[in-house]
Amino acid sequence: MREVLAAENLRVALRQVQANKGSPGVDGMTVAALPAYLKTHWLWIKGQLLQGRYRPQPVKRVEIPKPDGGVRKLGIPTVLDRFIQQAVLQVLQQRWDHTFSESSFGFRPKRSAHQAVAAAQRHIASGRAWVVDIDLEKFFDRVHHDRLMSRIMQRENDSALLKLIRAYLNAGVMENGAVTSTEEGTPQGGPLSPLLSNLVLDELDKELERRGHAFVRYADDCNIYVHSERAGQRVMEGVSRFIAEKLKLKVNASKSAVARPSKRKFLGFSFTSGREPKRRVAPKALGRFKEKIRELTSRTKGQSLRQMKEPLNLYLRGWRGYFGFCQTPSVLGELDGWIRRRLRGVAWKHWKQGRRRFAELTRRGVNKDLAARTAGSCHGPWRISRSPALSFALPNRLWDLLGIERVLLTG
């Protein structure tokens, strides 16, 4: 606990909480208000922490929609509790991380989802052409507190620290003004939760290593790679039994499967079949991308192309930063073409009437005969967006000049 409360560790924790920003917890205190609060109250809080008497406030329940449907329940701690958790995290992560499996990539320093996907790709390329895709049902809500505390006590013996972690696990959840106790689970949303989840699942990692399996785990997303379907079914049965009996967790049978890697997704990616598998964007991720682009380039919002530009570019840069890791550039090129076709449809909608459309086309160099036929067409914006006239009037280089981002970078 004295390491946690060291001045430099606390300074780093405060900077991290401020950088993360985030919304207030149940007490309404903002991140901006935290430094002043600490100046006034920190000596008392520090004494409570050292004596093992500090009591965190309940987390605030927030629900966010999942990409595949349903909602993910987050628990937002107060900014003070986020600060204390961050200070604890920095010390324990430094002490524990080197003991975790090399096949674990989620929520760890200097490790990323891209590294996890690349590791999965290497397993497939080695000849393991079947994947045992295991999904844990409501993992963060079902972590067994006594088992977790037992795992922590195997590593740490500071009673004040142990009491603090137990207090965070039992802090409760406030929803619709009512507080309910938490007898299991580590609510997503606090800085400490990912480390504790890795500690729980480290037991699974070590068991898979003991059995000699080739696997990749990112948080509660675990893929095991085997040579045959029969071996996969055997592994699925054995590992599911271990998870249920030893970890007291449950495998979600409807979302878990033994299949070819090309038929499953892992962290938004899938893989091509063949001896040299390539990373590709999973179909569901492509579907979500198009759905978002349709929303950002809606022809019914009354927004100009310049108004659409900033939010569109922000999304495209973020998406490219993650999914640009794929090895199928032709797909990215097709997406760029599809986006530009959407933008042509927006422009056509904005021009509204035939006379305006004719004038805009001819002003951009389209001959009058073709412009007249196109302007008088009864087809909708999507059909017209690929017409020769509109393609000539609004070429791809125009969108580049306007500063619309591409998902496929060349040169």
Side-chain angles (χ1 to χ4, degrees), residues 26 57-61 74-78 85 171-175 187:
V26 297
Q57 296 194 62
V59 298
K60 181 170 70 175
R61 174 69 78 210
L74 300 184
I76 308 300
T78 65
Q85 283 193 38
V173 174
M174 179 175 284
E175 193 169 10

Side-chain angles (χ1 to χ4, degrees), residues 19 28 53 69-70 73 84 95 112 152 165 172 180 188 206 208 228 231 243 281 289 316 324 330:
R53 297 172 61 183
K73 293 185 176 182
I84 296 171
R95 293 164 70 94
S112 68
I152 297 172
I165 295 174
T180 56
Q188 297 181 74
K206 296 299 192 289
L208 295 178
S228 69
I243 290 171
V281 184
F289 173 82
L316 290 176
S330 61

